[in-house]
């Protein structure tokens, strides 16, 4: 990965605006916060989940339950790995039956992580709906999965790498595209929100 | 993340990072046991054989459930109802079972070294569920996990094992695992029930229980096998209980935040009094639940595919 070729897709302020907009969209589509629970996929999805909950609290004054989920036990590549992925702890300390569950992750790519998350959620209960919120959708789905709420769409090639950094864990808030090392970067910075 | 070994034969010589990986992963599996659906899919399609040549209820059910909760297919073999009765050798038995395309074996046998022997004649991953008086690594691990749950770290913890140390595979696994993680370990029992040259294991040795308990954090009480009394290793059950039995009065020498443990099954009123067994400092039932989580962790970590089997995509 040639670091000097990296492209900044979103800086801290643009990230913040996109996340705020997503929070508003969630509230609009669900008619408020009463029926919501939010589950973030470890690790960065969980950070984003907490941010969304915090913004919802500011807007509506309602405290929505937030859970975190490690999906590694539900991966579809278990028969192909020589190493098992590190398993972190899942914490969903509330009932999800009948709720509108907002599943949150930082980047949507092949869709396999979300597939694993859905299998795991069903083992916890039966939500009324599961809606997917992501900060970045970079295309290249390998399964029929789509996001309900998207912070930003980024065109990428399969070999590119997209990383989201949050100041809670990393140094600053930003979204970076690392183009695949054997091609020149042709990605352009877009302005504006999602589709 | 991967263990440095394909098998779990014992805690002696197991590297610290392997122990920590198993224990850390077990935390996640402990959470699975609190879910409404206590099942996760990572061992789907894998077959595990529980090969128990010695009777067991607790360990066998614990492994059986752990395997099923990881979505593996699990079958149990009991020597008493098998062709072993017709004289089939161990080697033939395991080779025949392996020919049915199984992936992992959990074995308990009265001869020490049988799990190692199996690694030499089978391709499957082997987990030792107790081999003679040698080791019982998953019991050692679950004991350590239980201590870690309460005290957060093992380094510097003061642990006392009491009872028939000489014949105890649980004691040996505890000692090796705890020492690797930096605990300070002591053993106590009548001289007839302490191993020869026990000091070479690096433990403090006591034959007086009250002295032994001075300043200790955890007392892990081992079952007294009443058959040993038949063999003349102690004069009477009552004498053992008087001199070594853990009762409420004896506990006053321990550190304030102490813990009572027992691998089970308990002889209530012999090595442990009813009051102590049911006290709030006793974590005996937690040990059983934690045993599930630890066994799920071991099965999960050992089940990664071998490098030569990885398909090229």
């Amino acid at each position: 990965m040639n670091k000097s070729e990296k492209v900044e897709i979103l800086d801290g302020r643009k990230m913040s605006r996109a996340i705020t907009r997503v929070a508003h969209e969630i509230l609009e589509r669900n008619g408020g916060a009463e029926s919501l629970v939010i589950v973030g996929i470890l690790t960065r999805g969980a950070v984003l989940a907490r941010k969304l909950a915090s913004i919802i609290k500011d807007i509506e004054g309602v405290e929505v339950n937030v859970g975190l989920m490690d999906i590694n036990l539900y991966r579809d590549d278990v028969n192909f790995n020589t190493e098992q992925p590190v398993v972190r702890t899942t914490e969903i300390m509330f009932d999800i039956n009948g709720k509108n569950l907002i599943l949150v992750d930082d980047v949507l790519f092949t869709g396999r992580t979300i597939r694993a998350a859905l299998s795991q959620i069903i083992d916890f209960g039966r939500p009324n709906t599961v809606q997917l919120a992501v900060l970045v959708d970079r295309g290249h789905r390998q399964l029929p999965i789509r996001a309900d709420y998207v912070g930003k769409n980024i065109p990428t090639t399969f070999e590119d790498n997209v990383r989201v950094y949050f100041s809670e864990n990393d140094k600053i808030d930003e979204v970076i595209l690392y183009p695949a090392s054997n091609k020149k970067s042709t990605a352009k910075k877009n302005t504006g929100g999602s589709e | 993340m991967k263990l440095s070994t394909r098998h779990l034969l014992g805690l002696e010589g197991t590297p610290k990072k392997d122990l920590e990986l198993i224990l850390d992963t077990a935390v996640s599996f402990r959470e699975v046991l609190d879910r409404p659906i206590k099942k996760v899919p990572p061992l789907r399609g894998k077959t595990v054989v529980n090969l128990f040549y010695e009777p067991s209820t607790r360990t066998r059910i614990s492994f059986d459930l752990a395997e099923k909760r990881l979505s593996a297919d699990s079958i149990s073999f009991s020597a008493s109802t098998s062709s072993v009765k017709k004289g089939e050798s161990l080697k033939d038995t395991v080779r025949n079972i392996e020919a049915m395309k199984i992936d992992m074996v959990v074995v308990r046998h009265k001869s020490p070294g049988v799990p190692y022997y199996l690694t030499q004649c089978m391709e499957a991953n082997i987990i030792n569920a107790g081999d003679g008086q040698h080791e019982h690594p998953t019991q050692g691990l679950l004991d350590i996990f239980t201590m870690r749950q309460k005290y957060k770290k093992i380094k510097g913890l003061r642990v006392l094992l009491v009872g028939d140390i000489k014949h105890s595979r649980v004691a040996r696994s505890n000692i090796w695992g705890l020492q690797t993680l930096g605990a300070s370990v002591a053993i106590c029992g009548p001289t007839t029930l302490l191993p020869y040259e026990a000091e070479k294991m690096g433990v403090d040795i006591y034959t007086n229980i009250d002295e032994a308990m001075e300043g200790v954090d955890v007392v892990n009480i081992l079952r007294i096998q009443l058959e040993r009394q038949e063999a003349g290793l102690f004069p009477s059950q009552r004498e053992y209980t008087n001199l070594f039995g853990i009762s409420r009065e004896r506990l006053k020498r321990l550190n304030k935040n102490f813990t009572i443990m027992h691998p089970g099954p308990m002889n209530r009123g012999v090595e442990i009094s009813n009051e102590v067994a049911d006290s709030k400092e006793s974590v005996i039932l937690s040990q059983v639940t934690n045993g599930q989580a630890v066994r799920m962790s071991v099965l999960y970590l050992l089940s990664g595919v071998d490098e030569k089997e990885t398909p090229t995509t």
Side-chain angles (χ1 to χ4, degrees):
Chain A
M1 221 179 267
N2 188 348
K3 286 269 166 128
S4 63
E5 279 196 36
K6 72 178 188 181
V7 179
E8 185 190 60
I9 302 294
L10 294 175
D11 64 17
R13 282 174 52 187
K14 288 179 184 160
M15 268 175 78
S16 168
R17 287 183 203 129
I19 295 172
T20 303
R21 179 199 20 95
V22 164
H24 277 281
E25 281 183 12
I26 293 172
L27 290 168
E28 182 182 24
R29 218 178 288 189
N30 288 283
E34 298 308 323
S35 61
L36 297 180
V37 297
I38 302 180
V39 175
I41 298 178
L42 286 165
T43 25
R44 294 199 161 83
V47 177
L48 185 51
R50 287 195 202 100
K51 282 182 190 290
L52 285 168
S54 163
I55 296 172
I56 287 174
K57 176 139 188 251
D58 289 340
I59 303 171
E60 297 270 317
V62 173
E63 208 154 333
V64 174
N65 275 321
V66 178
L68 357 146
M69 201 159 65
D70 179 282
I71 55 92
N72 282 306
L73 294 176
Y74 286 78
R75 295 174 68 104
D76 63 3
D77 54 2
V78 280
N79 289 320
F80 302 100
N81 291 333
T82 55
E83 299 191 3
Q84 295 292 45
V86 173
V87 182
R88 285 177 282 269
T89 311
T90 292
E91 281 175 37
I92 300 185
M93 305 303 212
F94 43 84
D95 188 17
I96 66 169
N97 290 309
K99 303 280 192 205
N100 292 317
L101 190 152
I102 312 293
L103 182 60
V104 181
D105 204 2
D106 57 339
V107 178
L108 176 58
F109 181 33
T110 61
R112 291 184 191 270
T113 300
I114 304 302
R115 198 282 319 156
L118 286 172
S119 295
Q120 182 155 327
I121 286 171
I122 301 300
D123 280 351
F124 274 88
R126 189 176 192 275
N128 184 38
T129 64
V130 177
Q131 301 165 32
L132 176 60
V134 296
L135 183 56
V136 170
D137 180 346
R138 59 169 292 205
H140 298 285
R141 220 73 75 234
Q142 294 177 346
L143 296 174
I145 302 273
R146 58 125 181 80
D148 297 280
Y149 312 98
V150 181
K152 184 149 181 66
N153 283 294
I154 306 176
T156 64
T157 68
F158 193 84
E159 293 75 26
D160 289 337
N161 227 305
V162 176
R163 287 267 177 274
V164 172
Y165 299 102
F166 288 112
S167 53
E168 283 80 349
N169 297 336
D170 317 295
K171 288 193 240 25
I172 54 174
D173 290 318
E174 58 181 0
V175 178
I176 305 287
L177 165 69
Y178 298 96
S181 48
N182 56 3
K183 77 174 192 5
K184 277 186 165 325
S185 165
T186 52
K188 291 205 285 218
K189 273 203 269 193
N190 294 331
T191 54
S194 71
E195 284 176 357
Chain B
M1 285 258 80
K2 199 171 153 65
L3 294 178
S4 62
T5 163
R6 287 190 61 228
H7 311 288
L8 182 64
L9 304 180
L11 298 189
E12 183 181 2
T14 298
K16 185 169 162 191
K17 64 177 182 48
D18 279 2
L19 297 178
E20 286 173 341
L21 179 57
I22 294 171
L23 295 169
D24 290 340
T25 308
V27 175
S28 304
F29 285 110
R30 180 64 190 81
E31 177 272 319
V32 171
L33 297 175
D34 287 331
R35 297 185 188 177
I37 293 186
K38 298 167 187 13
K39 196 154 172 146
V40 288
L43 257 64
R44 208 170 69 91
K46 297 274 162 107
T47 306
V48 185
V49 176
N50 296 318
L51 201 60
F52 276 64
Y53 275 77
E54 269 188 332
S56 164
T57 310
R58 201 175 321 250
T59 305
R60 193 160 99 170
I61 293 182
S62 185
F63 266 110
D64 201 17
L65 275 178
E67 291 145 19
K68 291 176 157 79
R69 287 177 167 163
L70 291 167
S71 304
D73 294 322
S74 154
I75 71 149
S76 286
F77 163 101
S78 164
S80 56
T81 53
S82 74
S83 292
V84 170
K85 289 261 171 211
K86 300 184 199 168
E88 189 171 25
S89 71
L90 173 62
K91 186 173 182 176
D92 275 335
T93 303
V94 297
R95 282 215 163 138
N96 273 270
I97 292 177
E98 188 165 46
M100 300 189 209
K101 304 295 182 190
I102 56 118
D103 302 291
M104 302 174 83
V105 175
V106 175
V107 58
R108 171 175 279 196
H109 198 284
K110 73 176 189 332
S111 296
V114 160
Y116 173 75
Y117 173 69
L118 293 187
T119 67
Q120 303 300 299
C121 59
M122 294 182 88
E123 292 292 309
N125 303 95
I126 308 294
I127 297 177
N128 180 6
D131 62 332
Q133 296 167 2
H134 174 228
E135 287 230 39
H136 190 354
T138 55
Q139 181 71 41
L141 284 164
L142 76 88
D143 286 345
I144 295 171
F145 180 87
T146 308
M147 294 178 216
R148 220 172 74 144
Q149 244 181 359
K150 182 165 175 182
Y151 299 101
K152 307 298 179 239
K153 64 182 182 66
I154 300 295
K155 194 170 151 84
L157 197 63
R158 303 195 53 193
V159 182
L160 172 66
L161 301 162
V162 188
D164 185 356
I165 312 286
K166 182 170 182 178
H167 300 100
S168 171
R169 52 191 173 212
V170 173
R172 286 176 176 82
S173 290
N174 259 263
I175 290 170
W176 297 124
L178 284 166
Q179 288 185 326
T180 303
L181 293 171
S184 127
V185 185
I187 60 177
C188 180
T191 42
T192 46
L193 298 179
L194 292 176
Y196 178 61
E197 293 194 332
E199 63 279 358
K200 291 194 175 162
M201 293 184 86
V203 294
D204 296 323
I205 304 175
Y206 294 89
T207 49
N208 178 313
I209 187 66
D210 296 303
E211 273 175 41
M213 291 176 86
E214 201 67 51
V216 154
D217 300 305
V218 178
V219 184
N220 198 348
I221 306 172
L222 303 173
R223 182 174 70 97
I224 285 299
Q225 293 160 348
L226 301 177
E227 314 83 80
R228 308 285 173 211
Q229 190 225 320
E230 314 273 323
L233 290 175
F234 54 89
S236 73
Q237 195 176 300
R238 200 168 67 166
E239 180 156 337
Y240 180 85
T241 305
N242 283 341
L243 290 176
F244 295 96
I246 307 297
S247 57
R248 170 98 351 224
E249 301 70 59
R250 287 230 145 98
L251 300 178
K252 57 170 96 70
R253 297 230 191 171
L254 298 171
N255 276 342
K256 276 188 111 51
N257 190 24
F258 70 89
T259 305
I260 298 293
M261 296 176 61
H262 192 305
M266 293 188 278
N267 290 319
R268 284 171 176 269
V270 179
E271 70 264 3
I272 183 171
S273 74
N274 274 316
E275 203 194 340
V276 171
D278 300 324
S279 66
K280 65 175 172 43
E281 292 85 6
S282 149
V283 295
I284 294 172
L285 292 175
S286 298
Q287 285 173 267
V288 176
T289 313
N290 292 336
Q292 276 264 282
V294 163
R295 290 172 176 129
M296 287 172 86
S297 171
V298 170
L299 288 159
Y300 170 75
L301 288 167
L302 288 178
S303 68
V305 158
D306 278 343
E307 299 194 355
K308 63 180 182 325
E309 288 172 36
T310 313
T312 48
T313 40

